[in-house]
Amino acid sequence: MGYDLYIGDYAYSSWSLRGWLLVNRFGLSARSKMVPFVERDVARQMADIGAARTVPTLVTDDGAVISESAAIAEELATRHPEAGIWAADPRARAIARTLVAEMATGFTALRSECPMNLRVCYRDSAPSDEVRADLARLETIWAYARAQRTTDGPWLLGEYSAADAFFAPVAARIAGYSLPVAKDAAAYVAAHLTDPAFRRWRAMGLVHGPDLPWYRKDYPTRDWNGPAPRAAKAIATGTPENEACPYSGKAITHVMQMDGRIFGFCNPFCRNKTVADPEAWPAFMALV
């Protein structure tokens, strides 16, 4: 099946991250269509896509337009039951669906006071009492889910499910704003930060599009809480292991060396003027 997935800016669009993970984390594929936030009016940019007004929006090859992340999860699970988007165990599946529903409608203080911004990490964001209450609720429901799991693993119900895709941007907020959470919750956040799919999304967020000043906060900054980029360098020639750019899917135009291996990527993806020098690109590519 062929899908088009309309997403907002990688660095800032938390709901787009959820939609992208629902496709990429479960071995599905879709052509990503960017709706840049720099133009602000997302609904206007999507005026020709059925009744869509928000990102993410998934358009199927049979013309269905799905504009809510929870609906995308359900439809993909229906069309691809083998993908494991929901847990096979009925009890675990029920818990996951409950968690997704609460995430979609709750945690308003955390979401409004700490907008996702994958380009910066704050040392002290002075969370309000309302944000701390949201964090306490997260600790409660995460602990409950992990206590009920029937398989081992770092995720809420053992194996990765739609519930984890929905909480990935929450993990990004907790890490990006250095928010205080208990040990078990911090371990769950760390699982997201080290997840290859999440790291790939964040790497794209670092190199794609301009900084959007309305997402910035006046807090002291620090280094990113997740894994540091691996050492890499641009090289003039070499035979890459991959056949297409892992970020854009386009033809390879440049190569880099990392850990004794050679990988290729494309020039057009790295448009941000802050990484215009090819020598800077491997630092971002090495995040994955």
Side-chain angles (χ1 to χ4, degrees):
M1 296 183 181
Y3 298 120
D4 288 328
L5 180 65
Y6 291 82
I7 57 175
D9 290 72
Y10 297 103
Y12 309 108
S13 183
S14 58
W15 288 105
S16 294
L17 170 56
R18 294 179 175 101
W20 186 88
L21 286 172
L22 288 170
V23 171
N24 288 270
R25 195 56 173 73
F26 295 98
L28 308 178
S29 62
R31 296 173 291 271
S32 293
K33 307 286 187 178
M34 178 62 64
V35 181
F37 282 4
V38 68
E39 297 185 27
R40 298 267 187 152
D41 193 344
V42 170
R44 179 187 56 79
Q45 295 181 70
M46 302 184 71
D48 295 332
I49 308 168
R53 297 181 61 191
T54 59
V55 289
T57 285
L58 186 75
V59 180
T60 69
D61 56 354
D62 55 5
V65 179
I66 312 157
S67 294
E68 294 294 336
S69 298
I72 290 173
E74 294 292 356
E75 188 62 24
L76 288 176
T78 298
R79 293 178 183 238
H80 304 277
E82 76 290 347
I85 292 173
W86 297 110
D89 177 72
R91 180 180 173 84
R93 187 168 62 249
I95 293 171
R97 283 188 163 123
T98 299
L99 294 176
V100 165
E102 181 166 355
M103 178 61 254
T105 59
F107 308 103
T108 54
L110 176 63
R111 288 156 60 180
S112 63
E113 295 183 32
C114 303
M116 191 176 81
N117 184 347
L118 296 178
R119 291 184 172 179
V120 67
C121 184
Y122 299 111
R123 185 173 69 249
D124 181 9
S125 59
S128 68
D129 290 343
E130 291 77 11
V131 169
R132 290 179 180 273
D134 279 350
L135 295 173
R137 176 59 183 170
L138 286 167
E139 291 177 352
T140 297
I141 62 175
W142 288 354
Y144 174 78
R146 290 166 67 87
Q148 306 301 314
R149 59 187 177 179
T150 57
T151 60
D152 292 333
W155 307 108
L156 290 176
L157 296 160
E159 296 182 2
Y160 195 97
S161 75
D164 300 297
F166 269 70
F167 283 108
V170 173
R173 286 177 164 96
I174 291 172
Y177 289 84
S178 299
L179 298 173
V181 292
K183 181 179 179 181
D184 288 346
Y188 178 60
V189 169
H192 282 285
L193 302 188
T194 57
D195 180 52
F198 178 88
R199 297 184 76 188
R200 180 182 175 190
W201 175 274
R202 179 172 178 262
M204 291 188 289
L206 292 175
V207 299
H208 190 281
D211 283 333
L212 301 181
W214 50 89
Y215 283 95
R216 283 274 179 172
K217 298 288 187 177
D218 189 22
Y219 301 135
T221 60
R222 51 161 291 176
D223 291 336
W224 175 247
N225 279 314
R230 285 173 279 177
K233 64 178 181 179
I235 56 178
T237 60
T239 302
E241 297 182 15
N242 52 311
E243 296 181 356
C245 176
Y247 292 105
S248 67
K250 297 179 181 179
I252 290 170
T253 59
H254 291 74
V255 289
M256 72 165 187
Q257 188 175 62
M258 180 176 66
D259 298 335
R261 302 166 65 186
I262 296 176
F263 301 94
F265 57 103
C266 76
N267 181 338
F269 183 80
C270 303
R271 303 173 190 169
N272 192 313
K273 63 183 180 181
T274 61
V275 289
D277 182 354
E279 290 293 332
W281 296 344
F284 298 98
M285 294 290 294
L287 281 165
V288 296

